[in-house]
Amino acid sequence: MLYIVVMLKSSRSKSKPVTSSAGSRPKARLISSRTVYRGPVFWVTTDEVQEPGSIRARRDIIHHTGSVVVLAVDESGPAPRVLLERQYRHAAKDYLWELPAGRIDAGEKALHAAQRELLEETGYTAAHWRRILNFYASPGFVDETMSVYLATGLRAGPAQPEADEVIHKRMVALSTAIRMVLNATIRDAKTISSVLWLDHEMRGK
């Protein structure tokens, strides 16, 4: 794409193995890498790698500092309720129902980021926090990981959204959230996985 060429910034690296947690299984070998775009939220590299099957290939990778997701649950009533947001997403060209979420700033701890995002986007704070999930958002070409935190003991307060954020929030019963997932009203992957996790946990009690 032309804009990537125009904003080109080269930083080549020497050939080296790509490490992972796969133990002794063969991994790709990084032959070269150059940064082709750097923006305020992510940066892109074009990598030449030798895959485990010995095939040499080009891989364009979007790099991201990681994100947090907050599964905020109100347990004060007879059935749990989940805090959802509705906001416009330009990439989807539509309004989406989602859980509160956001980027981990450079040098920031994931838990602090989760607490910050919940307060900024919704005004809620929580007495209890627990990380329940950690996954890759789209590992085919993005290295972003998402950490989902369960937040309970909620307390309402004024939201502190950023200037470009127009967020409508709503508490919905877990059973309603499940129906929203199954009828495709909720189409956001991080929200789907988190709501299904909570339903599984509740069924086990």
Side-chain angles (χ1 to χ4, degrees), residues 88-100:
Y88 184 77
R89 293 296 196 181
H90 178 64
K93 295 181 175 57
D94 204 353
Y95 289 86
L96 299 182
W97 285 105
E98 304 176 45
L99 293 177

Side-chain angles (χ1 to χ4, degrees), residues 121-183:
E121 294 188 358
T122 72
Y124 278 89
T125 57
H128 309 291
W129 293 83
R130 178 163 65 97
R131 193 175 83 162
I132 56 172
L133 294 172
N134 181 257
F135 54 87
Y136 285 97
S138 184
F141 62 97
V142 183
D143 72 357
E144 178 188 11
T145 58
M146 289 189 164
S147 292
V148 182
Y149 283 86
L150 175 66
T152 55
L154 301 181
R155 183 180 219 173
Q160 304 167 22
E162 296 183 9
D164 63 342
E165 291 180 324
V166 180
I167 298 171
H168 304 279
K169 61 181 184 288
R170 180 185 298 176
M171 280 285 186
V172 303
L174 175 58
S175 58
T176 300
I178 291 295
R179 285 197 300 273
M180 292 171 71
V181 167
L182 297 179
N183 66 21

Side-chain angles (χ1 to χ4, degrees), residues 7-52:
M7 304 181 76
L8 183 66
K9 293 183 180 179
S10 294
S11 60
R12 294 185 179 277
S13 63
K14 295 180 179 179
S15 172
K16 60 181 179 179
V18 176
T19 59
S20 76
S21 58
S24 60
R25 296 177 184 173
K27 297 176 281 289
R29 183 168 65 89
L30 182 63
I31 298 168
S32 67
S33 179
R34 62 190 168 123
T35 301
V36 296
Y37 171 77
R38 185 172 291 276
V41 176
F42 62 86
W43 65 102
V44 181
T45 61
T46 292
D47 297 347
E48 187 177 0
V49 300
Q50 182 173 310
E51 296 284 356

